[in-house]
Amino acid sequence: MTDQPAYDEPARPQVHFSPPKGFMNDPNGLVYSNGTWHMYFQYNPNCTVAGGPQWGHATSQDLIHWQNHGLAIESENADESIYSGSAVVDKENTSGLFDDSIGPEERIVAIYTLHSPKKQVQCVAFSRDGGYTFASYQQNPVIDIGSKDFRDPKVFFHKPSSTWIMAVALSHEYQILFYGSKDLLHWTELSRFQAGLVGYQYEVPDLVEMPIEGTTATKWVLFVSINPGAPLGGSMTQYFIGEFDGEKFVPDDYIVRFADYGKDWYASQTWSNTPGNEVIGLAWASNWQYTNEVPTYPWRGCMSVARRMLLRKVRYNREYFGYSLAQFPVNIEQARNLNNAVTADRVDSSTGMKLRTKSGAAELLFYVSGVSLGNRFTDSSTILIELASKSARISIGLRVFETGAHVWLNRKADAAGWHHPLYNDNLSALVIPENMQCPVYKIHGIIDRGLTEIYVNDVVAFTNIHVLPDDEFADTVRVKLDDNLRITQASLYELHSAWTK
Amino acid sequence: MTDQPAYDEPARPQVHFSPPKGFMNDPNGLVYSNGTWHMYFQYNPNCTVAGGPQWGHATSQDLIHWQNHGLAIESENADESIYSGSAVVDKENTSGLFDDSIGPEERIVAIYTLHSPKKQVQCVAFSRDGGYTFASYQQNPVIDIGSKDFRDPKVFFHKPSSTWIMAVALSHEYQILFYGSKDLLHWTELSRFQAGLVGYQYEVPDLVEMPIEGTTATKWVLFVSINPGAPLGGSMTQYFIGEFDGEKFVPDDYIVRFADYGKDWYASQTWSNTPGNEVIGLAWASNWQYTNEVPTYPWRGCMSVARRMLLRKVRYNREYFGYSLAQFPVNIEQARNLNNAVTADRVDSSTGMKLRTKSGAAELLFYVSGVSLGNRFTDSSTILIELASKSARISIGLRVFETGAHVWLNRKADAAGWHHPLYNDNLSALVIPENMQCPVYKIHGIIDRGLTEIYVNDVVAFTNIHVLPDDEFADTVRVKLDDNLRITQASLYELHSAWTK
């Protein structure tokens, strides 16, 4: 296992995973096995710019604390790279790659894209030690359609048809292809899907059977990432809700939904083989528009927190109710420093809230209510969350209007002297409250040095990196509010660094 | 006819339509008749904040110079408003609302939404003088489904079925409803359509038979606007490409396309009865997120320039070619001041380009080529267009990378002391060149005091307002470029104010 560095650089997230050094992007091969959460990832350990990715590897027992394991899958030829893919536990040895000496939970099969200048093909690697070391399948590739842009296989076991199903992007045709296999090695195309925002290309699909909150029913969710050409610029992940019968994904509608409304949540993937079949996933928290130029050193790139996901029936407007992804940070409460926390049943404009942290990581959780507005066009009320460092400030606000609210972020990097034409200073997303007469907004935030995730009512996730001066992180969190708003059940916690030994 | 004010306020666009005073939003009732382009619009003449809209009216002979005519359609009751809608020339008197004393081109029928607190219904008003004065149809409403959110009828005559077709939004159900009528007065529902981005609600649909460039063929394009909840925040217009058989719009695919990639181009509408059936349309150049607070006085709101539209088969990426809306400003050359212009066959980094204007309005047109890049992740080349006023600056850039370019805008309003949390300082859109080996980018810009429209390769339109200090407009346009780029066939023109007598 490789050394664990201090992880204390000012921009270094404390409760989010990032590699010790080098450049990281997409999460790969997310698989739970024997009590351990494995995460592989697109990794260039040699420098802080993308290029020639291999699979890095880290593990966690709680999805908060991570241990680095260096490279897990490396390409054999200099002009080849190990692009994104997934991993499963082949408990029944359907692949025949294991024998009885290998415990069922140790039988890990990774399915990834082998990239070369000529083409992209799908390959298999397998691990007989539960995911720590891999060998290449001798008859690779397992799928080769002669395409240069055919990648990011995500595989899961579909019980009703006893078949392994792969979702994979025929990127430049804007098609998600579904393949079926009995052994993870021989694959047959089943169907294709296309819809929504397309940008320059499709990437990293993920088809997931998603629980519907409060029921025993499920729906299928298909995640499709695009880059570049997202509406906000660069990279984003959309999803579709529908049914999957083992052959074909049929969406309930052709509505395009956003998995995250921020600028930095891309190439999401969910874990396979999770306890209780919970859906837990995360994404790379960056954007190809500027990821290679963001001023962090000696690493670039980090993951969002792991999120438990489900579908919730929510209000879209005065009359329409539909499903939406609801997302919940997993185990973040384990990182709370209860000795440095502020809680209050009620907060008003005269008091506000304030917390100073040593770690630069904080969690906030509260409910906003009490909105009473006049003219719907000009009057609005604001909750302001300020993240202050010595010389700079990031602002997050909720601008409440008659029928909803805009959650916004101002992450101007002027104080850091860092400018990038494609790094949007201001971003916003719409939130519709469940009760339009007495709106309540639940705000759950994880503020973590160079990265902030905000969840409003669990259904609007808003993840954005930010850039502060080199030697600073925001150690002070302030919450301010207008007279006609109130905050209830408020908590503001320092979060312990997950990297401190 | 109402007085024509000076139209010389520093933020006042000179070649774009804006009302003399009051608040304007959606274009309505766009109809060409007898050599005159009529434009009605959502209008509150009483103050610079939206509320209780009626139909304002302006006319033009060339779509550049406009004459104001005050209010054309007013509501009869204080709690009712005249919401958006369209107008047609009922040459054949299908409605029976006219008689032989009225020339065929004078027979104007407007179909609009009557909004009241109880519900929204579709109504008819008719003009026997070619669109200057209107009378209400006595049997109004012509469609009433008891909905509170059912609006923005756009009507056209479908020749193959000899039927008037209406597209109208059942806003909160995210459905575009199609109705048919033989007489503009009795309507039957034909079909419904739903897809794409939905935001809070659907508004202002427009179904148009669109010529395919270089052919005699056509396709049907359905425009659907959403607000709030656009990906960039607030308001935007998406479109779908497909076929319409007189009853049902069937999209060729469920790809979501953007009519304009900027933040300020909403509620577009196309003219009916145009010469040669050309498709010419425009949109409101603002965004509901901040339109009521933008610092202009004594008016708020302006229109984009009129654009000729068609479909062009374009490259989406290395392998995929598909249709895209191509848009061309109409008659803008008529506003050029040829005595204050800069033209050059070739411009390089040592010279750049510069023009100083008196009007604060300018047009630029050039081609960028000569890109040669190294590492695709970090190297890029930039064209920079600076709009400078006395104390402030707006920057527009093209950041060219290996497979395409991001056109970006920095419209920071700091110098104006104006801040709005939902007014994005930085925006960008992706452009893919037709020839990826030798990329060429055509840049066509209309810079007009408080508003800039940029068209890249005709297919990426990028329209954004901007805010400069109260007493300033950008009178200087500078074009700068990197060493490894070159500009050819360059023109930079001052534009005459269309409002000067």
Side-chain angles (χ1 to χ4, degrees):
Chain A
M1 301 189 190
T2 59
D3 56 329
Q4 205 87 318
Y7 273 82
D8 196 34
E9 300 89 346
R12 176 80 85 169
Q14 299 295 295
V15 295
H16 290 86
F17 178 77
S18 59
K21 65 183 182 64
F23 184 91
M24 180 187 78
N25 51 297
D26 310 359
N28 294 153
L30 302 184
V31 63
Y32 178 85
S33 155
N34 260 345
T36 295
W37 299 88
H38 290 270
M39 178 163 65
Y40 307 89
F41 46 86
Q42 288 289 284
Y43 191 34
N44 177 4
N46 303 315
C47 72
T48 53
V49 171
Q54 317 290 318
W55 278 28
H57 183 208
T59 54
S60 177
Q61 309 310 307
D62 60 5
L63 294 166
I64 298 286
H65 299 81
W66 293 94
Q67 187 163 22
N68 285 299
H69 302 286
L71 289 175
I73 306 182
E74 297 180 66
S75 58
E76 288 158 24
N77 301 301
D79 67 345
E80 292 176 344
S81 301
I82 310 295
Y83 271 27
S84 286
S86 53
V88 296
V89 184
D90 183 18
K91 294 178 204 178
E92 309 291 335
N93 192 18
T94 62
S95 64
L97 294 168
F98 307 99
D99 57 41
D100 290 349
S101 73
I102 318 293
E105 285 279 324
E106 310 297 309
R107 300 166 179 176
I108 308 291
V109 175
I111 308 93
Y112 61 89
T113 298
L114 185 72
H115 167 87
S116 71
K118 272 205 321 284
K119 57 186 175 178
Q120 295 183 337
V121 296
Q122 314 322 318
C123 290
V124 160
F126 56 99
S127 168
R128 293 173 165 154
D129 61 0
Y132 294 91
T133 61
F134 283 83
S136 210
Y137 172 56
Q138 289 302 309
Q139 276 81 55
N140 273 334
V142 296
I143 309 181
D144 176 358
I145 60 169
S147 170
K148 288 180 82 158
D149 289 284
F150 175 51
R151 58 182 179 270
D152 310 337
K154 175 65 161 64
V155 174
F156 67 95
F157 191 71
H158 183 252
K159 275 200 191 125
S161 59
S162 288
T163 303
W164 296 102
I165 302 292
M166 176 195 296
V168 56
L170 191 55
S171 298
H172 285 198
E173 301 293 334
Y174 304 117
Q175 291 180 349
I176 304 304
L177 272 53
F178 296 100
Y179 284 82
S181 173
K182 294 294 180 188
D183 62 4
L184 291 166
L185 305 174
H186 300 84
W187 295 90
T188 309
E189 189 187 322
L190 302 173
S191 64
R192 298 184 175 206
F193 177 81
Q194 176 190 73
L197 296 163
V198 296
Y200 183 74
Q201 59 193 350
Y202 276 177
E203 295 195 317
V204 284
D206 193 358
L207 179 62
V208 192
E209 189 172 7
M210 196 72 77
I212 298 174
E213 191 175 40
T215 76
T216 56
T218 60
K219 283 255 172 205
W220 290 81
V221 168
L222 176 64
F223 294 89
V224 179
S225 286
I226 61 168
N227 175 74
L232 282 172
S235 321
M236 60 84 66
T237 301
Q238 62 194 323
Y239 68 96
F240 303 90
I241 302 172
E243 301 296 340
F244 181 73
D245 64 1
E247 294 210 343
K248 198 172 159 59
F249 173 74
V250 178
D252 291 352
D253 55 41
Y254 283 98
I255 292 177
V256 175
R257 296 170 175 89
F258 287 57
D260 193 289
Y261 292 81
K263 185 121 181 194
D264 301 295
W265 203 82
Y266 187 65
S268 68
Q269 187 175 110
T270 57
W271 263 271
S272 63
N273 196 40
T274 57
N277 293 318
E278 278 202 319
V279 179
I280 295 177
L282 49 60
W284 176 51
S286 193
N287 190 305
W288 283 112
Q289 276 193 324
Y290 43 69
T291 192
N292 280 294
E293 295 160 76
V294 168
T296 65
Y297 186 82
W299 86 103
R300 277 204 184 104
C302 88
M303 298 297 178
S304 76
V305 294
R307 301 174 176 182
R308 188 165 59 84
M309 298 176 174
L310 45 77
L311 288 178
R312 177 184 289 176
K313 192 90 154 203
V314 301
R315 177 187 289 283
Y316 281 43
N317 59 34
R318 241 187 234 108
E319 289 157 36
Y320 192 90
F321 293 81
Y323 289 112
S324 173
L325 205 59
Q327 302 182 71
F328 307 87
V330 176
N331 290 343
I332 193 71
E333 62 281 1
Q334 297 193 12
R336 290 176 186 163
N337 177 1
L338 299 176
N339 294 321
N340 187 17
V342 179
T343 62
D345 287 342
R346 185 179 168 123
V347 179
D348 63 28
S349 61
S350 66
T351 56
M353 294 180 84
K354 184 181 165 182
L355 179 76
R356 186 123 188 219
T357 69
K358 284 186 178 157
S359 65
E363 179 191 6
L364 51 79
L365 180 59
F366 57 73
Y367 295 80
V368 178
S369 60
V371 182
S372 76
L373 291 172
N375 184 302
R376 73 189 178 96
F377 289 115
T378 53
D379 295 352
S380 66
S381 303
T382 297
I383 291 278
L384 186 67
I385 302 165
E386 282 182 356
L387 319 181
S389 70
K390 282 201 297 287
S391 60
R393 202 163 54 187
I394 306 291
S395 309
I396 299 161
L398 191 74
R399 190 175 155 100
V400 181
F401 63 100
E402 193 193 29
T403 55
H406 298 282
V407 56
W408 57 265
L409 169 81
N410 184 326
R411 58 173 185 169
K412 202 156 52 171
D414 288 359
W418 188 75
H419 294 281
H420 193 291
L422 307 175
Y423 172 86
N424 315 51
D425 290 353
N426 313 82
L427 298 159
S428 68
L430 180 69
V431 191
I432 303 301
E434 281 310 297
N435 182 331
M436 297 186 91
Q437 272 62 56
C438 308
V440 177
Y441 299 94
K442 174 187 174 188
I443 309 285
H444 192 184
I446 298 170
I447 296 150
D448 193 9
R449 299 200 180 185
L451 173 64
T452 293
E453 303 188 37
I454 299 286
Y455 303 75
V456 186
N457 292 349
D458 311 321
V459 297
V460 173
F462 189 52
T463 301
N464 296 286
I465 64 162
H466 31 76
V467 175
L468 290 171
D470 269 4
D471 56 344
E472 297 185 14
F473 56 78
D475 64 356
T476 305
V477 181
R478 279 193 199 85
V479 181
K480 302 172 176 179
L481 58 158
D482 285 355
D483 283 349
N484 60 343
L485 296 179
R486 68 170 170 272
I487 287 176
T488 55
Q489 296 170 260
S491 309
L492 200 44
Y493 302 99
E494 179 175 46
L495 295 174
H496 286 298
S497 170
W499 299 102
T500 312
K501 287 284 164 53
Chain B
M1 302 190 191
T2 59
D3 55 328
Q4 206 88 317
Y7 273 81
D8 195 34
E9 300 89 346
R12 176 79 85 169
Q14 299 294 296
V15 295
H16 290 86
F17 178 77
S18 58
K21 64 184 182 65
F23 183 92
M24 179 186 79
N25 49 299
D26 309 0
N28 294 153
L30 302 184
V31 62
Y32 178 85
S33 153
N34 259 344
T36 295
W37 300 88
H38 290 270
M39 178 163 66
Y40 308 88
F41 46 85
Q42 289 289 284
Y43 191 32
N44 177 3
N46 302 315
C47 72
T48 53
V49 172
Q54 317 290 318
W55 277 28
H57 183 207
T59 54
S60 178
Q61 309 310 307
D62 60 5
L63 294 167
I64 297 287
H65 298 81
W66 293 94
Q67 186 162 24
N68 284 298
H69 302 287
L71 288 175
I73 305 181
E74 296 180 66
S75 59
E76 288 157 23
N77 301 302
D79 67 346
E80 292 175 347
S81 301
I82 311 295
Y83 271 26
S84 287
S86 53
V88 296
V89 183
D90 183 19
K91 294 178 202 177
E92 308 292 335
N93 193 20
T94 62
S95 63
L97 294 167
F98 306 99
D99 58 41
D100 290 349
S101 73
I102 319 293
E105 285 279 324
E106 309 298 308
R107 300 166 179 175
I108 308 291
V109 175
I111 308 95
Y112 61 89
T113 299
L114 185 71
H115 167 87
S116 72
K118 272 205 320 284
K119 57 185 175 179
Q120 296 183 336
V121 296
Q122 313 322 318
C123 289
V124 160
F126 57 99
S127 168
R128 291 172 166 154
D129 62 359
Y132 294 93
T133 62
F134 283 83
S136 211
Y137 172 56
Q138 289 301 309
Q139 275 80 56
N140 272 337
V142 296
I143 309 180
D144 176 357
I145 61 169
S147 171
K148 289 178 83 158
D149 290 285
F150 175 51
R151 59 183 178 269
D152 310 337
K154 176 64 161 61
V155 174
F156 68 94
F157 191 71
H158 184 250
K159 277 199 189 126
S161 59
S162 287
T163 303
W164 296 102
I165 301 293
M166 176 194 296
V168 57
L170 190 56
S171 299
H172 285 199
E173 301 293 334
Y174 304 117
Q175 291 179 350
I176 304 305
L177 274 53
F178 296 101
Y179 284 83
S181 172
K182 293 295 179 186
D183 63 3
L184 291 165
L185 305 173
H186 300 84
W187 295 91
T188 307
E189 190 187 323
L190 302 173
S191 64
R192 299 184 175 205
F193 177 80
Q194 177 188 72
L197 295 162
V198 296
Y200 183 73
Q201 59 193 348
Y202 275 178
E203 294 195 317
V204 286
D206 193 358
L207 180 63
V208 192
E209 189 172 7
M210 196 72 78
I212 298 174
E213 191 175 39
T215 75
T216 57
T218 61
K219 283 258 172 204
W220 290 82
V221 169
L222 176 62
F223 294 90
V224 179
S225 285
I226 61 168
N227 174 72
L232 282 173
S235 321
M236 60 84 67
T237 301
Q238 64 194 323
Y239 68 95
F240 302 90
I241 302 171
E243 301 296 340
F244 181 73
D245 63 2
E247 295 210 343
K248 197 172 164 58
F249 173 74
V250 178
D252 290 351
D253 54 43
Y254 283 97
I255 291 177
V256 175
R257 295 169 176 90
F258 286 58
D260 193 290
Y261 292 81
K263 185 122 182 194
D264 300 296
W265 204 81
Y266 187 64
S268 68
Q269 187 175 110
T270 57
W271 264 272
S272 63
N273 196 42
T274 56
N277 294 317
E278 277 202 320
V279 179
I280 295 177
L282 50 60
W284 176 51
S286 193
N287 191 304
W288 283 113
Q289 275 192 324
Y290 44 68
T291 190
N292 280 292
E293 295 160 76
V294 168
T296 66
Y297 185 83
W299 87 101
R300 277 204 184 104
C302 89
M303 298 298 177
S304 77
V305 294
R307 301 175 177 181
R308 187 165 61 83
M309 298 176 175
L310 46 75
L311 288 178
R312 176 184 290 175
K313 193 91 153 203
V314 302
R315 176 187 290 281
Y316 282 42
N317 59 34
R318 241 188 234 108
E319 289 158 34
Y320 192 91
F321 293 81
Y323 289 113
S324 173
L325 205 59
Q327 301 183 71
F328 307 87
V330 176
N331 289 344
I332 194 71
E333 60 281 3
Q334 299 193 10
R336 290 175 186 163
N337 177 0
L338 298 177
N339 295 320
N340 188 16
V342 178
T343 60
D345 287 342
R346 184 180 169 123
V347 178
D348 64 28
S349 61
S350 66
T351 58
M353 293 180 85
K354 182 180 164 182
L355 179 77
R356 184 122 189 221
T357 69
K358 283 187 178 159
S359 65
E363 179 191 4
L364 52 79
L365 180 59
F366 56 73
Y367 295 81
V368 178
S369 60
V371 182
S372 74
L373 289 172
N375 184 303
R376 71 188 181 98
F377 290 115
T378 53
D379 295 352
S380 64
S381 301
T382 297
I383 290 280
L384 185 68
I385 302 164
E386 282 183 356
L387 319 180
S389 71
K390 282 201 296 287
S391 60
R393 202 164 55 186
I394 308 291
S395 308
I396 299 161
L398 190 74
R399 191 174 154 100
V400 182
F401 62 101
E402 192 195 28
T403 56
H406 299 281
V407 55
W408 57 264
L409 169 81
N410 184 326
R411 58 173 187 170
K412 200 155 55 171
D414 287 0
W418 188 76
H419 293 280
H420 193 293
L422 307 176
Y423 172 86
N424 315 50
D425 290 353
N426 313 82
L427 298 159
S428 68
L430 179 69
V431 191
I432 303 301
E434 282 309 298
N435 182 331
M436 296 185 92
Q437 271 62 55
C438 307
V440 177
Y441 300 95
K442 175 187 175 189
I443 309 285
H444 192 183
I446 298 170
I447 296 149
D448 193 8
R449 299 200 180 186
L451 173 65
T452 293
E453 304 188 37
I454 299 287
Y455 303 75
V456 186
N457 291 351
D458 311 320
V459 297
V460 172
F462 189 52
T463 301
N464 296 285
I465 63 163
H466 31 77
V467 175
L468 290 171
D470 268 4
D471 55 346
E472 298 184 13
F473 56 77
D475 65 356
T476 305
V477 180
R478 277 194 200 84
V479 180
K480 302 173 177 178
L481 59 158
D482 285 354
D483 284 348
N484 60 342
L485 296 178
R486 68 169 171 271
I487 288 176
T488 56
Q489 297 170 262
S491 307
L492 199 45
Y493 302 100
E494 179 175 45
L495 294 175
H496 286 298
S497 170
W499 299 101
T500 311
K501 289 283 166 52

